[in-house]
Amino acid sequence: MLDTLITSKTRLKLLLKFFLNGNNKSYLRGLESEFGESSNAIRIELNRFEEAGLLVSATEGNKKIYQANKNNSIYNDIHNLLMKFVGIDEIIEKVLRRVGDLQSAYIIGDFARGIDSQQIDLLLVGSKLNEKYILSLINKVEGLVKRHINLSTLVPEQLPEFLTSTNSLLIWSGGSSKDSN
């Protein structure tokens, strides 16, 4: 549905890249390689986003690094719209709110890096998670979000080391949905 409103595929990819997970950073050549598109089309959109105050940039070496401007007044609105577009809001409502001893939940994999995918990699952290029950909930949600959901679980003690080596988007913590970080 969002792709009907935003007809530029490059623009939609940039929104997912920077606004689904506000911690994502990238530079022009990296985006060119990641998106498989010409650098000129990407540069035009980056300039538009930066001029609109949606992105901020900093120079590191010879690279101009872009990141979402979390201080922009519509950052949270765009982030929430993308959460709905991907189906993360359905996962929170239909799965995470029904799991008893859940400590936190993360999106990892492609979506944590801001890359659109047909698979959502969901990481749940808790001590006594009933994976069979969770999988039954996930099976119901997959039809709603029209994406495959790949479940991983960790006990809380494993989380710090895991997060040091993986891009992640925190979507749930201690019984409430969270903004990414």
Side-chain angles (χ1 to χ4, degrees):
M1 178 171 64
L2 191 58
D3 49 349
T4 303
L5 294 171
I6 300 170
T7 55
S8 165
K9 291 183 180 187
T10 303
R11 193 173 303 151
L12 186 57
K13 288 177 183 177
L14 288 172
L15 286 171
L16 284 168
K17 176 71 180 178
F18 293 113
F19 287 87
L20 190 59
N21 184 349
N23 292 329
N24 282 338
K25 297 178 181 179
S26 194
Y27 60 98
L28 180 61
R29 295 290 176 204
L31 293 169
E32 178 184 25
S33 173
E34 187 177 312
F35 294 172
E37 295 185 20
S38 76
S39 60
N40 194 42
I42 297 169
R43 181 188 346 253
I44 289 169
E45 295 300 333
L46 287 171
N47 290 339
R48 287 181 179 156
F49 278 37
E50 191 172 26
E51 287 172 16
L54 296 171
L55 293 178
V56 292
S57 65
T59 303
E60 291 181 16
N62 61 354
K63 297 176 184 169
K64 188 173 182 180
I65 308 294
Y66 295 91
Q67 183 174 20
N69 180 0
K70 292 181 179 180
N71 295 322
N72 188 294
S73 61
I74 63 170
Y75 169 82
N76 286 332
D77 296 327
I78 295 172
H79 173 75
N80 291 334
L81 181 67
L82 293 171
M83 296 278 279
K84 289 182 181 185
F85 171 68
V86 172
I88 295 171
D89 62 324
E90 292 285 347
I91 293 171
I92 291 170
E93 186 62 33
K94 304 261 188 313
V95 178
L96 303 183
R97 291 186 192 276
R98 299 171 186 204
V99 177
D101 294 326
L102 183 63
Q103 183 181 53
S104 58
Y106 295 84
I107 297 296
I108 57 175
D110 285 345
F111 280 113
R113 293 190 310 271
I115 301 169
D116 197 2
S117 172
Q118 287 304 306
Q119 177 173 304
I120 298 172
D121 294 306
L122 178 65
L123 171 66
L124 302 183
V125 181
S127 297
K128 297 177 182 174
L129 299 175
N130 181 340
E131 286 192 38
K132 187 175 178 181
Y133 175 66
I134 295 168
L135 287 172
S136 71
L137 296 173
I138 285 175
N139 285 336
K140 294 175 185 173
V141 171
E142 284 178 329
L144 295 172
V145 301
K146 299 185 177 20
R147 298 178 198 268
H148 175 70
I149 300 172
N150 184 34
L151 175 66
S152 300
T153 59
L154 289 177
V155 294
E157 296 78 23
Q158 297 172 305
L159 184 62
E161 182 179 339
F162 183 83
L163 291 179
T164 61
S165 62
T166 304
N167 284 349
S168 62
L169 172 65
L170 177 65
I171 60 170
W172 179 269
S173 179
S176 64
S177 59
K178 288 285 188 184
D179 190 46
S180 64
N181 289 324

